[in-house]
């Protein structure tokens, strides 16, 4: 009896993974479409272009573990940058991706307006 229920469970799990696999793969590009990864602009050049009071900026300081199997050097990779943008949405999207890439947070400044 237990063997039959184990086989039934395994066949159900395999069937669900075959069915749900393509659905998961289809949802990943839609996430990228919802959250683009904007490239930050140079803060002073953007301030000259649109005015310092209209510039949105955010800061992320973080790190992540590096895969050192084929790499020599430090095991951690650090990131420390301020991103400047024309809109708050671009600033928040940039911070979202930096938090995703460099997941060990050391300091975060949320998006603010004006330099």
């Amino acid at each position: 009896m237990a063997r039959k229920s184990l086989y039934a469970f395994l066949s159900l799990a395999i069937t669900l993974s075959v069915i749900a696999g393509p659905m998961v793969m289809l949802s990943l590009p839609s996430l990228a479409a919802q959250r683009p990864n904007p490239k930050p602009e140079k803060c002073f050049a953007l301030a000259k272009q649109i005015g310092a009071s209209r510039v949105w900026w955010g800061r992320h300081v973080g790190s992540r573990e590096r895969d050192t199997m084929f790499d020599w050097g430090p095991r951690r990779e650090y990131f420390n940058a301020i991103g400047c943008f024309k809109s708050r949405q671009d600033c928040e999207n940039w911070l979202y991706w930096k938090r995703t890439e460099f997941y060990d947070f050391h300091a975060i400044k949320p998006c603010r307006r004006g330099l």
Side-chain angles (χ1 to χ4, degrees):
M1 184 72 173
R3 183 172 280 182
K4 286 183 182 180
S5 63
L6 177 64
Y7 287 131
F9 176 75
L10 289 176
S11 65
L12 178 64
I14 291 170
T15 304
L16 289 176
S17 67
V18 168
I19 292 171
M23 289 184 217
V24 170
M25 294 305 286
L26 289 174
S27 66
L28 290 177
S30 66
L31 176 63
Q34 292 172 2
R35 285 261 190 195
N37 192 356
K39 183 179 176 186
E41 299 187 35
K42 297 192 185 292
C43 294
F44 292 123
L46 187 61
K48 279 185 176 180
Q49 181 184 1
I50 65 171
S53 64
R54 297 178 63 199
V55 173
W56 285 91
W57 65 276
R59 181 177 184 197
H60 180 74
V61 179
S63 63
R64 64 182 170 192
E65 193 75 24
R66 288 183 39 183
D67 180 22
T68 58
M69 186 170 183
F70 301 108
D71 233 352
W72 295 96
R75 293 185 55 93
R76 296 202 70 71
E77 182 179 0
Y78 293 93
F79 180 83
N80 181 1
I82 294 175
C84 290
F85 303 92
K86 292 180 181 177
S87 70
R88 181 179 186 159
Q89 187 64 40
D90 285 344
C91 180
E92 289 179 356
N93 286 339
W94 179 78
L95 279 177
Y96 169 81
W97 286 108
K98 293 306 159 197
R99 287 180 199 141
T100 304
E101 294 170 15
F102 297 92
Y103 41 83
D104 290 335
F105 306 113
H106 299 290
I108 300 168
K109 288 267 189 191
C111 294
R112 296 182 181 174
R113 189 174 183 180
L115 292 180

